[in-house]
Amino acid sequence: MAAPKKNGIQTVYFKNPPVIIAAASIVGCLEGEGPLGKTFDQVVNDTYYGEKTWEKAEQRMMLETMQKALEKAGLQVKDIDYMLAGDLLNQIITANFTARVLGIPFLGLYGACSTMYEGMALGAMLIDGGFAEKVLVGASSHYSTAERQYRFPTEMGNQRPMTAQWTVTGAGAAVLAREGSGPVITHATIGKVVDLGQGDAQNMGAAMAPAAADTITCHLQDTSRQPDYYDLIITGDLGAYGKKLTGQLVTQYGYDISDRYTDCGILIYSASQDVHAGGSGCGCSAVVTCGYLMESLRSGKYKRLLGIGTGALLSPCSVQQGETVPGIGHAVVIEMR
Amino acid sequence: MAAPKKNGIQTVYFKNPPVIIAAASIVGCLEGEGPLGKTFDQVVNDTYYGEKTWEKAEQRMMLETMQKALEKAGLQVKDIDYMLAGDLLNQIITANFTARVLGIPFLGLYGACSTMYEGMALGAMLIDGGFAEKVLVGASSHYSTAERQYRFPTEMGNQRPMTAQWTVTGAGAAVLAREGSGPVITHATIGKVVDLGQGDAQNMGAAMAPAAADTITCHLQDTSRQPDYYDLIITGDLGAYGKKLTGQLVTQYGYDISDRYTDCGILIYSASQDVHAGGSGCGCSAVVTCGYLMESLRSGKYKRLLGIGTGALLSPCSVQQGETVPGIGHAVVIEMR
């Protein structure tokens, strides 16, 4: 298969790379018990988090994650120019209601599970473009709110196919700033919506893989870099099947990323946790990036990484009307200098 | 009531104000019969627009509006760096599926009915910040897709209270460019989420009014301008009740805008069209801005205007869980030079 047809350069670089001065993550029980459990700031064992509904629990999780990120940055709400956030719930109510509490000028985003990376890319542009000093970026998902909105009430106990993924319960938030210490965002590659005709809403990894492969390939072409420039190339929530497909497509497009490529949805759970193909949801790439990846950059385990937030752009309505599932992938380069 | 408490300057200005080189709008039958009918590019009388579902009709409307805007600008898809768009449907499927066809790097937005203005503000920042030469911005809504998603199936014939508004069927799109001829965007004021506790989802104008008043006041304070700097101050879709409340709030905050303030939702329908409080929906401010306002700027009727896209940040789920309805307002200054 030929490399993706390109209209032009999709990648921008930042003259003064914005700094991720702080990041925070709060996750649910299953995520806390997983291999990355220790890299998150807080584990919440109650799926209701003391609230009356799962939706309100997700809101509390996003709010406290944002407050935690501000606290770690030593900043207050008034120091932040913009909040960029989104989630999976209809009309992104998690982000809207969090923004209501914080009172920061708010730009609502919807990129499905790519939202954290869409936010980091846009936030970096706003800072490097001269429109902000500090930006707060965040995204969240919750297993129980996503299941009942997208699929079936969990009470029904429907059987899930092995290609299905497990929506991560968790929220991630990062504070981007013009100056400070921490990893920097040097490039962003905004993705196109790609659809190779996958119509199974229970196999979203396969639906997102073509978009992920497209963005990775465009990024490498745009920057004239080889995969070995990066210590790690990591997609957001493709899971086992989507990751395999992405690797195959990128190989067909002329790049071999196999020795340094993984996926947040694979890292977050262990095989014994019975989540089938891996993690998914806005929270997946958000918490792995704000938890594990930030820790790995700060500890020196990785120096340069290419992260690709991936989103499946379906709705129950679009599936019911016979549509296939398009995907999107937004990439940012994060380096420790 | 005191003026809104502010954390800092919310308004940014553009060193090289991006130009709206073209704009297009396609509307439904009722909008075509309204007072602004002649300012739209096309009127579609079939609510299905030849498609099998209203959702697919809305997609066709957004796609053709974007293609029309490109055609009027003399541009092709490959000339556009980013597409920024959103709509009211769950998971913004209208915008996602339109982006799938166009294949332009895509940033999905959700600002409820403020989306067109969120897009214009962000698009202008991306261009003036040096990250894009040309950006395509769009938003849409459809009476029938919105009614069945947010309220009741229209087949039920539920009675609507007089405070209810009528979701505009229509799509608007604008091409923003670094250079060219046309109205320019000189400033943007990104709004905060404001909630004064209005809980009636059938009176969204009242729910959005505090946010609109907050953004207008912040904008005037930030720029040290008086209302008479503008020939027109126009909100997105507050309708009759929301417009009245906004005027009152802004007066309490110390500015008199009464002699130059109106609302897109009031202009788009005539009193005889029986739409109760006026128009609403993402399409409302999008088509009035891309149709009537662009024509008024080009003809010299207005020279400087402050437009405020307004959004009610509710979902059926948030209302069912007892939440009130927060609002948001994003403002841009459009001037003919």
Side-chain angles (χ1 to χ4, degrees):
Chain A
M1 197 181 289
K5 196 163 78 49
K6 294 194 61 190
N7 289 325
I9 299 288
Q10 268 173 249
T11 303
V12 295
Y13 74 94
F14 302 111
K15 284 178 194 145
N16 298 298
V19 188
I20 304 173
I21 59 170
S25 53
I26 298 180
V27 298
C29 180
L30 199 65
E31 294 71 23
E33 290 169 355
L36 309 183
K38 289 200 162 57
T39 67
F40 306 122
D41 291 288
Q42 189 185 332
V43 178
V44 174
N45 288 319
D46 169 17
T47 62
Y48 284 98
Y49 202 4
E51 301 287 332
K52 281 190 176 172
T53 68
W54 287 317
E55 287 74 17
K56 287 182 197 287
E58 185 179 340
Q59 282 166 36
R60 182 174 170 195
M61 213 172 257
M62 185 189 268
L63 176 62
E64 292 186 1
T65 305
M66 294 217 155
Q67 289 168 332
K68 177 80 74 179
L70 289 175
E71 183 191 317
K72 286 167 98 171
L75 296 173
Q76 293 178 292
V77 158
K78 68 174 174 53
D79 302 315
I80 305 294
D81 298 301
Y82 301 110
M83 168 178 160
L84 288 87
D87 57 278
L88 288 178
L89 296 188
N90 297 341
Q91 289 75 56
I92 61 164
I93 49 170
T94 313
N96 290 335
F97 283 89
T98 301
R100 178 177 70 174
V101 178
L102 294 176
I104 302 167
F106 172 61
L107 292 157
L109 307 179
Y110 185 80
C113 308
S114 73
T115 300
M116 187 72 198
Y117 278 76
E118 180 182 354
M120 289 194 294
L122 266 174
M125 291 188 206
L126 297 188
I127 291 173
D128 194 44
F131 301 106
E133 291 289 324
K134 296 183 183 72
V135 167
L136 182 61
V137 180
S140 73
S141 55
H142 188 300
Y143 175 77
S144 301
T145 66
E147 281 303 307
R148 72 172 168 189
Q149 178 182 284
Y150 284 100
R151 285 167 283 266
F152 301 100
T154 47
E155 294 87 339
M156 285 172 68
N158 275 55
Q159 197 172 354
R160 307 164 69 243
M162 291 310 287
T163 54
Q165 295 171 243
W166 191 274
T167 303
V168 166
T169 298
V175 181
L176 275 50
R178 188 183 298 276
E179 292 177 348
S181 77
V184 296
I185 298 178
T186 65
H187 295 70
T189 307
I190 300 299
K192 303 186 291 281
V193 177
V194 179
D195 188 343
L196 294 190
Q198 207 285 91
D200 179 2
Q202 295 270 26
N203 186 358
M204 295 203 288
M208 293 186 276
D214 187 283
T215 299
I216 292 168
T217 307
C218 288
H219 174 84
L220 294 172
Q221 290 174 343
D222 286 346
T223 54
S224 301
R225 287 178 177 170
Q226 290 300 315
D228 66 2
Y229 179 87
Y230 298 106
D231 304 317
L232 183 72
I233 297 175
I234 184 164
T235 44
D237 62 337
L238 301 182
Y241 296 93
K243 188 215 157 195
K244 190 176 167 198
L245 268 172
T246 299
Q248 288 172 343
L249 280 169
V250 174
T251 303
Q252 287 175 12
Y253 297 158
Y255 294 96
D256 180 5
I257 59 173
S258 56
D259 63 342
R260 61 199 65 228
Y261 169 46
T262 191
D263 180 76
C264 298
I266 291 174
L267 296 182
I268 194 165
Y269 301 118
S270 65
S272 64
Q273 288 184 295
D274 193 27
V275 295
H276 297 7
S280 69
C282 283
C284 184
S285 60
V287 301
V288 174
T289 302
C290 295
Y292 171 69
L293 293 181
M294 286 303 123
E295 186 179 291
S296 300
L297 285 159
R298 287 182 184 271
S299 73
K301 180 174 181 183
Y302 300 122
K303 199 168 176 306
R304 298 160 168 174
L305 68 87
L306 177 66
I308 306 100
T310 40
L313 303 174
L314 79 167
S315 82
C317 173
S318 72
V319 172
Q320 284 158 7
Q321 294 189 6
E323 284 287 2
T324 52
V325 181
I328 196 161
H330 300 304
V332 300
V333 176
I334 309 178
E335 294 193 7
M336 198 69 205
R337 289 191 169 169
Chain B
M1 197 180 289
K5 193 161 80 43
K6 294 192 63 189
N7 289 325
I9 299 288
Q10 268 175 249
T11 304
V12 295
Y13 74 96
F14 302 111
K15 284 178 193 143
N16 298 298
V19 189
I20 304 172
I21 59 170
S25 52
I26 298 180
V27 298
C29 180
L30 199 66
E31 294 72 22
E33 290 169 353
L36 309 183
K38 288 199 165 56
T39 67
F40 306 122
D41 290 288
Q42 190 185 332
V43 178
V44 174
N45 288 318
D46 169 17
T47 62
Y48 284 97
Y49 202 3
E51 300 288 331
K52 280 189 176 171
T53 68
W54 288 316
E55 286 74 17
K56 288 182 197 286
E58 185 179 340
Q59 282 166 37
R60 182 174 170 195
M61 213 172 256
M62 185 189 268
L63 176 62
E64 292 187 1
T65 305
M66 295 215 154
Q67 289 170 332
K68 177 80 75 179
L70 289 175
E71 184 191 315
K72 288 167 99 171
L75 296 173
Q76 293 178 290
V77 158
K78 69 173 174 53
D79 301 316
I80 305 294
D81 299 301
Y82 301 110
M83 168 177 160
L84 288 88
D87 57 278
L88 288 178
L89 296 188
N90 298 341
Q91 289 75 56
I92 62 165
I93 48 169
T94 314
N96 290 336
F97 283 89
T98 301
R100 178 178 69 173
V101 178
L102 293 176
I104 303 166
F106 172 60
L107 292 157
L109 307 179
Y110 186 79
C113 308
S114 73
T115 300
M116 187 72 199
Y117 278 75
E118 179 181 355
M120 289 195 293
L122 266 174
M125 291 187 207
L126 297 188
I127 291 173
D128 194 44
F131 302 106
E133 290 289 325
K134 296 183 182 72
V135 167
L136 182 61
V137 180
S140 74
S141 53
H142 188 300
Y143 174 77
S144 301
T145 66
E147 281 304 305
R148 71 172 169 190
Q149 179 182 281
Y150 283 101
R151 285 168 281 266
F152 301 100
T154 47
E155 295 87 340
M156 286 173 67
N158 275 54
Q159 196 171 356
R160 308 164 69 244
M162 292 310 286
T163 52
Q165 294 171 243
W166 190 274
T167 304
V168 165
T169 298
V175 181
L176 275 50
R178 188 183 297 276
E179 291 178 346
S181 76
V184 297
I185 297 177
T186 65
H187 295 69
T189 307
I190 300 300
K192 302 186 292 279
V193 177
V194 179
D195 189 343
L196 294 190
Q198 207 284 95
D200 179 2
Q202 295 271 26
N203 186 0
M204 295 203 288
M208 293 185 275
D214 187 283
T215 299
I216 293 169
T217 307
C218 287
H219 175 84
L220 294 171
Q221 290 174 343
D222 286 346
T223 55
S224 302
R225 286 176 178 172
Q226 290 299 314
D228 66 3
Y229 178 87
Y230 298 106
D231 304 318
L232 182 71
I233 296 174
I234 184 164
T235 44
D237 62 336
L238 300 183
Y241 296 93
K243 187 214 156 193
K244 190 177 167 197
L245 267 172
T246 300
Q248 288 171 343
L249 281 169
V250 173
T251 303
Q252 286 175 12
Y253 297 159
Y255 293 97
D256 181 4
I257 59 173
S258 57
D259 62 343
R260 61 199 65 229
Y261 169 47
T262 191
D263 180 74
C264 298
I266 291 174
L267 296 182
I268 194 166
Y269 301 119
S270 64
S272 64
Q273 288 183 295
D274 193 26
V275 295
H276 297 9
S280 68
C282 284
C284 184
S285 60
V287 302
V288 173
T289 302
C290 295
Y292 171 68
L293 293 181
M294 285 303 123
E295 187 179 290
S296 300
L297 286 159
R298 287 183 184 272
S299 73
K301 181 174 179 182
Y302 300 122
K303 201 167 174 308
R304 299 160 168 173
L305 67 86
L306 177 68
I308 306 99
T310 40
L313 303 173
L314 79 167
S315 82
C317 173
S318 71
V319 173
Q320 283 159 7
Q321 294 188 6
E323 283 288 0
T324 52
V325 182
I328 196 162
H330 299 304
V332 301
V333 175
I334 309 178
E335 294 193 6
M336 198 69 203
R337 288 193 170 167

